[in-house]
Amino acid sequence: MKSIKYFAIAATLSMASFATFAAQAVSQPVSGEQKIGVVTANGATTLDSLENNLANQAKEAGASSYRITSVTGNNLMSASAVLYK
């Protein structure tokens, strides 16, 4: 019984901590969100690393969400994203 209680507490705390810190990628800004800026990322070799770079910049800027607006390049890619709060 105690192990079930501890597991439930640990699961709840771990989910809550991830949800509070990450900016979410969106296809359209949520109604009421304000544009707070634009970020760019350069020199990535994969789309995943490019998106991770943009997500980290959005988190550092305090954005609640971001929308990737452009991606260019072949071997080394660049991207830009609009930040919302």
Side-chain angles (χ1 to χ4, degrees):
M1 186 67 152
K2 284 185 180 181
S3 62
I4 293 173
K5 182 170 75 173
Y6 290 131
F7 175 78
I9 291 170
T12 303
L13 290 175
S14 67
M15 285 186 273
S17 65
F18 286 121
T20 58
F21 296 111
Q24 299 293 319
V26 295
S27 59
Q28 294 289 329
V30 176
S31 179
E33 285 190 325
Q34 298 289 325
K35 177 180 172 181
I36 61 169
V38 175
V39 293
T40 60
N42 299 306
T45 56
T46 66
L47 289 174
D48 286 337
S49 63
L50 192 63
E51 185 173 5
N52 287 339
N53 190 327
L54 292 171
N56 288 336
Q57 291 183 49
K59 178 182 169 185
E60 289 173 7
S64 59
S65 62
Y66 64 96
R67 183 172 55 97
I68 298 173
T69 55
S70 69
V71 176
T72 60
N74 291 322
N75 296 329
L76 295 178
M77 294 178 276
S78 301
S80 62
V82 177
L83 305 179
Y84 298 96
K85 189 165 188 169

